[in-house]
Amino acid sequence: MNPLELDDYQHIVFFTGAGLSAEAGIPTYRGAGGTWAKYDYRAYACQRAFDGDPAKVWDFHDERRLRMASAEPAAAHRMIAAAQATHPSVAIITQNIDGLHQRAGAHHVIELHGSIWRVRCRCPGAPQVNLEAPIAERLCPTCGVWRRPDIVWFEDPLQPAPIQQGIDAIAACDLLISIGTSGVVYPAAELPRAAAQRGARCIEINPEPTAVSEWYDTHLRTGASDALRSLLPDLATGGTTPG
Ligand code: NAD
């Protein structure tokens, strides 16, 4: 398809998922090589698992932190950050927890599923801590019990603030570009539907058809960085390899 002119749009949303960060070397959850092909989420990624064996769940997340800390943002992360720098109305809504949008230079990111770089505790008054080091202090300094990663696990509700910010951004957008999401994790997967229903331009970037492909008027069946290089060549910073 022809390159896009971002100046033709008033409010632009990039809606991103694990496939984007696959280009930075971070495995997706589903599909070949996906995290859940190797690990049972019931033992590593739900509150019950954490309550039963917090050290095991921490070990799993520390390993993920180390992997994410050593990853470099892909070209697509950098192009999205450049789009936000040049078009302040760009909203970035991500299901990813890895912080790679921010490391690529994005200044505001709506994190629907939290961030692996934060931890939280249920005790009253415990501050939410932003971690800079890959390995966190596991016990709450206020109450002395286990803190947990500030991410949305299976069966967790979403935090209301980011979901509302995501709904608002999508309600206002006239261009939505979805990148690297399978569209099966609800309620996040539901959000882009509102843009399609209102007639916004909706572009899906994913090498595979997804559960929600029908909402999109344009499908780019290739990797995130290659697709953005062809869609937004002015933002490409060079290089032709994925990531
Ligand atoms: P998913 O694992 O369900 O699906 C990934 C999608 O990415 C697939 O549809 C796949 O076809 C596509 N894909 C693979 N390679 C791609 C590429 N190079 N370019 C574009 N697309 C590509 O991921 P999801 O839809 O984001 O939902 C799963 C949940 O997993 C989310 O909640 C997310 O928080 C979490 N998750 C996050 C990370 C991360 O933070 N990096 C990693 C794994 C999973």
Side-chain angles (χ1 to χ4, degrees):
M1 69 171 279
N2 293 329
L4 283 179
E5 280 297 338
L6 291 184
D7 289 338
D8 292 345
Y9 298 92
Q10 298 295 311
H11 294 281
I12 300 158
V13 166
F14 288 90
F15 184 80
T16 69
L20 170 63
S21 292
E23 296 196 346
I26 297 170
T28 60
Y29 276 172
R30 294 172 188 77
T35 301
W36 303 140
K38 190 171 167 196
Y39 295 96
D40 183 348
Y41 76 84
R42 288 166 298 192
Y44 295 99
C46 65
Q47 185 67 43
R48 263 177 298 168
F50 182 73
D51 292 342
D53 192 343
K56 180 173 153 184
V57 173
W58 260 108
D59 288 346
F60 171 74
H61 287 85
D62 276 349
E63 195 184 307
R64 297 190 75 203
R65 278 193 196 88
L66 282 170
R67 186 159 193 168
M68 290 172 178
S70 65
E72 289 299 324
H77 290 103
R78 295 194 298 272
M79 282 186 271
I80 294 167
Q84 192 175 58
T86 51
H87 294 77
S89 79
V90 164
I92 302 170
I93 306 174
T94 191
Q95 297 164 85
N96 294 342
I97 57 172
D98 54 36
L100 284 176
H101 280 299
Q102 292 91 331
R103 283 180 50 206
H107 58 80
H108 180 62
V109 182
I110 299 169
E111 294 177 313
L112 296 178
H113 292 164
S115 170
I116 200 157
W117 300 109
R118 296 191 301 264
V119 292
R120 66 173 190 254
C121 177
R122 280 184 283 190
C123 83
Q128 189 188 68
V129 184
N130 284 295
L131 300 170
E132 288 173 12
I135 306 294
E137 196 184 324
R138 296 181 172 193
L139 300 183
C140 172
T142 305
C143 68
V145 304
W146 292 88
R147 303 191 288 186
R148 58 159 278 181
D150 190 16
I151 60 178
V152 176
W153 281 330
F154 287 86
E155 298 158 20
D156 281 348
L158 263 63
Q159 296 292 324
I163 196 93
Q164 191 57 54
Q165 289 169 20
I167 289 169
D168 292 346
I170 287 176
C173 79
D174 50 359
L175 171 65
L176 184 142
I177 303 176
S178 164
I179 307 177
T181 175
S182 58
V184 298
V185 177
Y186 279 76
E190 179 69 19
L191 264 54
R193 184 202 289 266
Q197 285 174 335
R198 285 184 19 264
R201 179 85 198 273
C202 292
I203 299 173
E204 178 178 69
I205 297 173
N206 196 312
E208 313 267 340
T210 72
V212 295
S213 289
E214 68 192 48
W215 298 345
Y216 295 86
D217 51 77
T218 305
H219 309 95
L220 300 184
R221 295 278 172 244
T222 183
S225 297
D226 283 345
L228 285 185
R229 283 188 193 101
S230 64
L231 263 188
L232 303 168
D234 293 349
L235 299 179
T237 50
T240 52
T241 51

